[in-house]
């Protein structure tokens, strides 16, 4: 934590039941074209991986993009107090790791504890398609910026189209061609756009960068086996 304070970079911290790694990598893919950016290597999102991410940022790094993971109560609170994020994003809440949490309500509380490490002028981002997150923020008087597909969010997508192995949508009347399949990846891209927008990235620059994003191993990874197309979504996968 002390090293993070002295290092001089800004920290983006991402959590959620699913989508952390893909969102982190899209965000890094875009921001690295405009800033000196460092990200978690693989899913370094626990009490060993997060410090390694912060400590290994090269000299001159302007933005560190980190994941915060959890499988039991109190883990994110511990991690966010190390990271002290400038921007924190909660992707979603699903019934994952229930053996450690017991209920979805406990998961909401755990994920939203990321806000307790935010810097005083930090920005909280949530997915407003999950009403539990909105209700929690309002009950706790946490100011937030929202993204989502419901049209009520501060940042939303229009004209969403799903193709066999890709998707497309518009933001600010700019067409985004996302080379990733499925509605979950639209959520991931919207979260990444919300973060990138806060760093001054234009929708046009975001669109140009995203079209060259190559995806992640074992996360809706497209594999060919002769005439068969396989979606490999096996990394620590939960039903959501």
């Amino acid at each position: 934590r002390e090293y993070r304070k002295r290092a001089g970079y800004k920290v983006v911290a991402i959590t959620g039941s699913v989508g952390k790694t893909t969102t982190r990598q899209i965000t890094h893919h875009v921001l690295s074209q405009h800033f000196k950016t460092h990200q978690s290597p693989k899913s370094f999102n626990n009490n060993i991986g997060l410090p390694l991410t912060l400590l290994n940022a090269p000299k001159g790094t302007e933005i560190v993009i980190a994941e915060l993971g959890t499988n039991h109560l109190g883990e994110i609170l511990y991690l966010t107090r190390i990271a002290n994020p400038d921007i924190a994003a909660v992707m979603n809440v699903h019934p994952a790791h229930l053996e450690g949490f017991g209920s979805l309500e406990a998961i909401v509380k755990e994920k939203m504890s990321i806000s307790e490490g935010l810097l005083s002028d930090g920005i909280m981002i949530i997915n407003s398609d999950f009403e539990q997150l909105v209700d929690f923020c309002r009950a706790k008087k946490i100011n937030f910026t929202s993204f989502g597909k419901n049209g009520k969010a501060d940042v939303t997508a229009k004209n969403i189209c799903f193709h066999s192995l890709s998707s497309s949508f518009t933001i600010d009347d700019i067409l985004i061609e996302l080379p990733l399949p499925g509605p979950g990846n639209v959520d991931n891209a919207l979260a990444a756009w919300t973060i990138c927008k806060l760093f001054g990235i234009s929708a046009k620059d975001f669109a140009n960068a995203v079209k060259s994003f190559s995806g992640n191993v074992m996360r809706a990874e497209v594999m060919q086996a002769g005439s068969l197309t396989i979606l490999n979504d096996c990394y620590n996968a939960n039903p959501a």
Side-chain angles (χ1 to χ4, degrees):
R1 177 169 58 190
E2 184 61 28
Y3 181 85
R4 178 269 183 270
K5 287 178 181 177
R6 297 186 186 197
Y9 46 60
K10 292 188 179 297
V11 173
V12 176
I14 299 167
T15 194
S17 299
V18 291
K20 293 184 293 296
T21 297
T22 302
T23 300
R24 183 250 300 166
Q25 291 201 341
I26 295 173
T27 303
H28 179 266
H29 183 74
V30 176
L31 290 180
S32 63
Q33 299 183 25
H34 302 271
F35 301 94
K36 191 168 182 179
T37 309
H38 176 71
Q39 65 172 332
S40 303
K42 301 186 179 180
S43 292
F44 278 29
N45 60 24
N46 61 12
N47 61 335
I48 297 172
L50 174 67
L52 284 173
T53 299
L54 298 173
L55 291 167
N56 285 330
K59 187 176 181 179
T61 294
E62 297 172 284
I63 304 169
V64 172
I65 306 164
E67 295 181 38
L68 305 191
T70 180
N71 58 22
H72 61 269
L73 288 170
E75 193 168 4
I76 285 180
L77 182 61
Y78 177 81
L79 295 173
T80 191
R81 286 174 173 170
I82 294 172
N84 287 144
D86 297 89
I87 297 171
V90 178
M91 298 295 304
N92 43 56
V93 281
H94 290 289
H97 295 298
L98 282 179
E99 74 282 1
F101 292 112
S103 69
L104 187 62
E105 290 74 21
I107 293 173
V108 171
K109 183 178 179 181
E110 173 69 7
K111 300 298 185 187
M112 285 306 308
S113 69
I114 196 173
S115 65
E116 297 195 34
L118 268 176
L119 295 182
S120 58
D121 58 348
I123 298 172
M124 185 73 232
I125 296 171
I126 64 169
N127 184 341
S128 63
D129 290 342
F130 292 82
E131 292 184 8
Q132 306 100 314
L133 295 176
V134 176
D135 292 344
F136 186 94
C137 286
R138 287 176 176 163
K140 299 292 184 179
K141 295 181 169 55
I142 300 169
N143 293 325
F144 63 89
T145 294
S146 63
F147 70 92
K149 298 195 293 283
N150 60 18
K152 300 176 184 177
D154 299 313
V155 177
T156 191
K158 297 179 180 178
N159 307 312
I160 300 172
C161 294
F162 300 115
H163 315 293
S164 58
L165 298 174
S166 64
S167 50
S168 62
F169 54 93
T170 58
I171 51 174
D172 297 347
D173 297 321
I174 299 293
L175 176 64
I176 309 296
E177 296 176 279
L178 182 66
L180 301 174
N185 278 317
V186 172
D187 287 342
N188 297 338
L190 267 179
W193 161 237
T194 307
I195 295 166
C196 291
K197 194 175 183 180
L198 292 170
F199 285 102
I201 304 301
S202 70
K204 186 174 181 180
D205 285 343
F206 183 81
N208 288 336
V210 162
K211 68 174 65 172
S212 64
F213 181 70
S214 58
N216 300 298
V217 175
M218 289 198 291
R219 293 166 177 86
E221 178 188 10
V222 179
M223 305 174 71
Q224 289 297 141
S227 62
L228 297 177
T229 300
I230 300 167
L231 279 178
N232 178 2
D233 204 47
C234 298
Y235 187 91
N236 203 15
N238 59 50

